[in-house]
């Protein structure tokens, strides 16, 4: 069903009842005198969240989707004043940072698997380049699909996908102003309406001058988006979304283990490692376009044709803190050069990679319909898709300029490299073409069987820095999936599913014997069993157990000159339990809670001390709870509180070093009132109330491991005026 026509249960009931009431009243008007009836209190609760067509198991409501899905709507995100992807990840225990520096585009992991920026992020169900600062001002809800989604996304990392659903035209006139304890300035507008009964627009814009808690990391961001809906005739509809964003902010380097075996101590979170006065901000310009045309041939059959374009241009400029190859404490070779020195020394590199262009183009055609074969009712979806991804880069500058220490009150100033970036060249040209089908079969009133799959053909060419062909990958693979759903009661569903996926092999780190080589694509398998309970008052409870496996990729110690070779050997298995509770507990109390217990280990890796160890950057236990309570004695006033927890987190592949566990508490207050008949909402939130120091991220990038500290206590204040 189109989002424009989604109705609440209350609206549907009233629409159905009004004609009947009018008919009865008209016929009886001359026979009966008016009668005063007792007052009735009618109260609507939020129904189970509908899903956009990003789910690998088709478009269905939350309870009937045989997968673990969490939907965070814009009201929830606004209450918490969420602005970045890393902040979004705090509010689902199955998510975590995976190399998410301040001032740079960020990446996250789902169920312990880092998302592939090429295919892991989507807008209105279509792929967007993940190498951008993903804005939220034009987003109605964020859908988090956990686990394999091969039918929806094709070749992708097995953790899942994040789908941003755009706001549609509506009668809205809002202006938001905000600041924080660092002195940031933020303004946003949300304007929309139907210009005619058949054509509507929604305009969103934001201007953000960020004052970062990290020195020298202040930034700016300008964002503009436009959404249009056009009802074409009686059966057609066209939805178009376009947004453009430009940002500039210095990127803050992460820490590394001292000598590869010890966590840094006494870290000042406000200090920027390696800062040089000549360091330029990282500039990111992004454009995203999507269009969806739907046509209802009949109440049972609909066609959907969608196209998307996403382009991100990155001006990468970093005085990058990395390793200790040139430090005195690492000169004898006894300390690994790709970590900081035991005494805290680190090397600084002048890294410049301008005009780094990532482009995603996708087209998708789909036919959906309902029909019956005997006693079995079918919901069928069949379609074709084509996805094209290119990467164009200039030959970068990556030159050592000097050595500093993490204890320096002021980082020594060094001269930048005199070298200049080379010409731009095509580095990657990748095509995915696919045919997919899914049949949801209703057997009686209580059973659903879903069966389908995606046949994908991948043709990918990679080139070296000069544009010379380096490798070509061709493969064809059928990715099956099936699920069984049992409706135990009207509120309770139980499901079991099996899905196969395909993901690209990683690039070997430069310090291995096969550095810069891409490993072959990998097949993954997932089995999941879950229960979902949708209470009548809008509270949704879920539990799922799963196991996902794929080949294990790691730098294997050997007798090569480099000492390591990047290989696929053994199996990486993620086995976990997820619990969720979202919705209204009472009329005044809203709850958003999740917990994850995840065992992520390698076996048969060929290196004994890696086997059986919890993988890096995958805490065994995570929890996230947020409650919002409307005070009964103060109309319009609500208070909120949050708790985030993560158990100890491995920082080395052998598990010898772990970042300690942490608990972080958040709080907030919200006040809504009218000013000259216009609604006004004040929101004050305080993150990390007790100013707890913690390592939020021990993730890797291109085979190297980094440590990122969590943000200190931060207060944010916003006011939204309805015009």
């Amino acid at each position: 069903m189109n989002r424009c026509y989604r109705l609440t249960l209350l609206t549907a009931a009233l629409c159905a009842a009004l004609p009947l009431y009018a008919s009865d009243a008209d016929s009886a008007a001359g026979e009966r005198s008016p009668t005063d009836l007792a007052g009735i209190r009618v109260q609507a609760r939020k129904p189970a969240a509908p899903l956009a067509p990003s789910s690998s198991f088709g478009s269905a409501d939350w309870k009937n989707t045989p997968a673990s899905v969490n939907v965070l709507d814009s009201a929830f995100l606004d209450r918490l004043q969420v602005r970045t992807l890393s902040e979004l990840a705090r509010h689902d225990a199955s998510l975590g940072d995976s190399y998410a520096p301040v001032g740079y585009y960020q990446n996250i992991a789902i169920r312990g698997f880092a998302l592939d920026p090429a295919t892991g992020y989507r807008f209105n169900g279509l792929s967007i380049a993940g190498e951008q600062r993903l804005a939220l001002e034009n987003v109605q809800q964020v859908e988090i699909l956990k686990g394999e989604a091969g039918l929806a996304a094709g070749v992708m990392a097995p953790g899942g996908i994040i789908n941003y659903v755009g706001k549609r035209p509506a009668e809205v006139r809002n202006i938001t102003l905000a600041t924080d304890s660092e002195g940031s300035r933020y303004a946003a507008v949300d304007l929309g309406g139907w210009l005619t009964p058949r054509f509507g627009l929604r305009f969103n814009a934001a201007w953000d001058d960020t004052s970062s808690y990290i020195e020298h990391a202040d930034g700016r961001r300008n964002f503009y988006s436009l959404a249009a809906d056009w009802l074409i005739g009686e059966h057609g509809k066209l939805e178009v979304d376009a947004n453009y964003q430009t940002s500039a902010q210095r990127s803050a380097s992460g820490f590394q283990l001292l000598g590869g075996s010890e966590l840094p101590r006494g870290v000042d979170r406000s200090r920027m490692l390696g800062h040089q006065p000549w360091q330029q901000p990282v500039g990111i310009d992004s454009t995203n376009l999507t269009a969806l045309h739907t046509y209802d041939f009949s109440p049972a059959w609909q066609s959907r044709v969608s196209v998307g374009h996403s382009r991100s241009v990155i001006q990468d400029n970093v005085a990058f803190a990395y390793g200790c190859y040139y430090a005195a404490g690492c000169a004898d070779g006894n300390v690994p050069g790709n970590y900081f020195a035991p005494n805290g020394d680190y090397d600084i590199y002048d890294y410049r990679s301008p005009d780094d262009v990532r482009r995603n183009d996708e087209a998708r055609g789909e036919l959906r319909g309902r029909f019956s074969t005997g006693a079995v009712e079918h919901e069928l979806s069949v379609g074709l898709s084509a996805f094209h991804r290119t990467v164009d880069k200039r030959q970068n500058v990556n030159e050592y300029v000097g050595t500093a220490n993490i204890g320096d009150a002021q980082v020594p100033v060094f001269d930048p490299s005199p070298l200049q970036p080379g010409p731009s060249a095509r580095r990657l040209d990748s095509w995915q073409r696919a045919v997919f089908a899914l049949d949801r079969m209703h057997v009686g009133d209580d059973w659903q069987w879903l069966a389908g799959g995606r046949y994908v053909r991948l043709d990918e060419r990679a080139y070296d820095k000069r544009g010379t062909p380096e490798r070509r990958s061709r493969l064809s693979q059928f990715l099956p999936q099936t699920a069984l759903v049992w409706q135990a009661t009207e509120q309770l569903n139980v499901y079991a599913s099996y899905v196969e996926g395909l993901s690209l092999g990683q690039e070997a780190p430069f310090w291995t014997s096969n550095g810069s080589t891409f490993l072959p694509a990998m097949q993954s398998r997932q089995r999941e069993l879950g229960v979902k309970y949708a209470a009548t008052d809008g509270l949704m409870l879920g539990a799922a157990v799963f196991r996902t496996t794929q080949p294990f990729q790691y730098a294997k110690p050997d007798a090569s000159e480099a000492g390591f070779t990047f290989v696929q050997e053994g199996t990486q298995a993620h086995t976990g339990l997820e619990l969720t509770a979202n919705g209204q507990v009472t009329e005044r109390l809203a709850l958003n809670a999740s917990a994850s217990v995840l065992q992520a280990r390698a076996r048969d890796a060929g290196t004994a001390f890696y086997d059986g160890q919890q993988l890096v950057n995958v805490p065994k236990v995570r929890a996230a709870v947020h409650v919002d309570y409307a005070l009964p004695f103060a109309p319009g006033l609500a208070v909120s509180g949050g708790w985030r927890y993560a158990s100890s987190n491995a920082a080395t592949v052998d598990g010898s070093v772990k970042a300690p566990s942490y608990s972080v508490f958040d709080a907030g207050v919200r006040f809504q009132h009218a000013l000259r008949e216009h609604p006004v909402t004040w929101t004050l939130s305080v993150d990390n109330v007790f100013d707890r120091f913690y390592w939020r991220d021990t993730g890797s990038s291109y085979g190297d491991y980094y440590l990122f500290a969590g943000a200190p206590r931060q207060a944010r204040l916003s006011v939204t005026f309805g015009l």
Side-chain angles (χ1 to χ4, degrees), residues 389-391 425-431 459-474 504 507 516-519:
R389 166 132 169 131
T390 59
V391 176
R426 177 63 48 91
R427 301 295 300 278
L428 180 73
D429 193 323
S430 177
W431 276 96
D459 188 349
E460 186 168 274
R461 293 177 174 88
Y463 306 86
D464 65 15
K465 295 180 180 180
R466 295 174 176 81
T468 304
E470 193 173 50
R471 69 172 175 87
R472 183 172 186 179
S473 300
R474 282 182 171 178
L504 297 177
E507 182 180 3
S516 301
T517 301
F518 285 87
L519 300 188

Side-chain angles (χ1 to χ4, degrees), residues 608-645:
F609 57 86
Y610 290 175
D611 282 344
Q613 300 291 340
Q614 185 79 358
L615 297 180
V616 172
N617 203 33
V618 187
K620 289 184 179 179
V621 180
R622 271 198 175 107
V625 178
H626 184 268
V627 295
D628 187 89
Y629 182 68
L631 299 176
F633 55 83
L637 185 63
V639 295
S640 63
W643 172 61
R644 296 174 270 137
Y645 170 79

Side-chain angles (χ1 to χ4, degrees), residues 304-613:
R304 302 174 65 89
V305 178
S306 54
V307 293
H309 167 78
S310 178
R311 184 174 184 264
S312 180
V313 182
I314 307 158
Q315 311 296 336
D316 206 340
N317 303 291
V318 187
F320 193 59
Y322 171 77
C324 63
Y325 286 101
Y326 297 90
C330 304
D332 59 6
N334 292 326
V335 176
N338 57 325
Y339 290 97
F340 287 1
N343 68 342
D345 284 349
Y346 62 89
D347 297 334
I348 302 174
Y349 290 80
D350 177 5
Y351 182 85
R352 282 170 280 145
S353 179
D355 304 319
D356 182 351
V357 182
R358 314 296 174 101
R359 176 171 171 167
N360 287 16
D361 293 292
E362 185 172 8
R364 180 183 177 108
E366 185 178 358
L367 180 65
R368 296 181 180 181
R370 300 190 307 272
F371 62 94
S372 299
T373 56
V376 179
E377 296 182 4
H378 299 262
E379 294 180 34
L380 182 66
S381 174
V382 296
L384 304 167
S385 71
F387 170 66
H388 186 211
R389 166 132 169 131
T390 59
V391 176
D392 296 302
K393 299 181 68 174
R394 295 174 65 180
Q395 187 171 345
N396 61 41
V397 172
N398 189 17
E399 293 294 313
Y400 167 78
V401 296
T403 297
N405 188 277
I406 61 173
D408 291 335
Q410 293 291 331
V411 179
V413 176
F414 306 101
D415 292 330
S417 169
L419 299 179
Q420 296 299 319
S424 180
R426 177 63 48 91
R427 301 295 300 278
L428 180 73
D429 193 323
S430 177
W431 276 96
Q432 289 185 42
R433 299 173 177 87
V435 180
F436 59 89
L438 179 70
D439 188 7
R440 180 189 292 264
M441 292 163 275
H442 297 262
V443 183
D445 295 330
D446 301 332
W447 292 91
Q448 299 176 48
W449 177 34
L450 292 84
R454 181 184 184 100
Y455 179 80
V456 60
R457 182 179 179 85
L458 176 68
D459 188 349
E460 186 168 274
R461 293 177 174 88
Y463 306 86
D464 65 15
K465 295 180 180 180
R466 295 174 176 81
T468 304
E470 193 173 50
R471 69 172 175 87
R472 183 172 186 179
S473 300
R474 282 182 171 178
L475 60 89
S476 298
Q477 186 81 35
F478 178 69
L479 306 175
Q481 59 185 57
T482 187
L484 191 64
V485 181
W486 172 46
Q487 182 174 316
T489 68
E490 185 178 351
Q491 291 81 30
L492 180 66
N493 279 9
V494 181
Y495 70 87
S497 67
Y498 173 79
V499 186
E500 292 185 7
L502 192 67
S503 60
L504 297 177
Q506 295 180 10
E507 182 180 3
F510 77 92
W511 42 266
T512 60
S513 63
N514 56 339
S516 301
T517 301
F518 285 87
L519 300 188
M522 305 174 295
Q523 188 169 21
S524 55
R525 293 177 173 84
Q526 176 184 285
R527 300 164 180 84
E528 182 168 322
L529 178 67
V531 295
K532 295 186 175 184
Y533 181 80
T536 55
D537 63 355
L539 180 64
M540 296 178 289
L541 307 176
V545 292
F546 62 88
R547 182 176 176 83
T548 307
T549 59
Q550 71 170 16
F552 181 48
Q553 301 180 112
Y554 75 108
K556 181 178 181 179
D558 59 15
S560 65
E561 183 178 352
F564 297 89
T565 300
F566 199 63
V567 299
Q568 290 176 352
E569 193 168 331
T571 302
Q572 175 180 345
H574 293 214
T575 305
L577 166 67
E578 294 170 337
L579 303 173
T580 59
N582 298 309
Q584 294 292 136
V585 179
T586 67
E587 181 181 354
R588 295 185 177 275
L589 180 63
L591 172 67
N592 184 284
S594 58
S596 171
V597 180
L598 181 59
Q599 182 188 80
R601 295 180 176 176
R603 55 184 175 85
D604 302 326
T607 304
F609 57 86
Y610 290 175
D611 282 344
Q613 300 291 340

Side-chain angles (χ1 to χ4, degrees), residues 125-136:
L126 295 168
S127 172
I128 58 176
E131 299 91 346
Q132 61 178 288
R133 298 184 64 173
L134 298 165
L136 291 166

Side-chain angles (χ1 to χ4, degrees), residues 6 30 110-111 154 156 376 417 446 502 505 555 629 661 666 674 706:
R6 286 178 182 158
I110 304 179
R111 291 183 171 178
M156 55 159 286
V376 179
S417 169
D446 301 332
L502 192 67
Y629 182 68
S661 63
D666 309 316
Y706 300 92

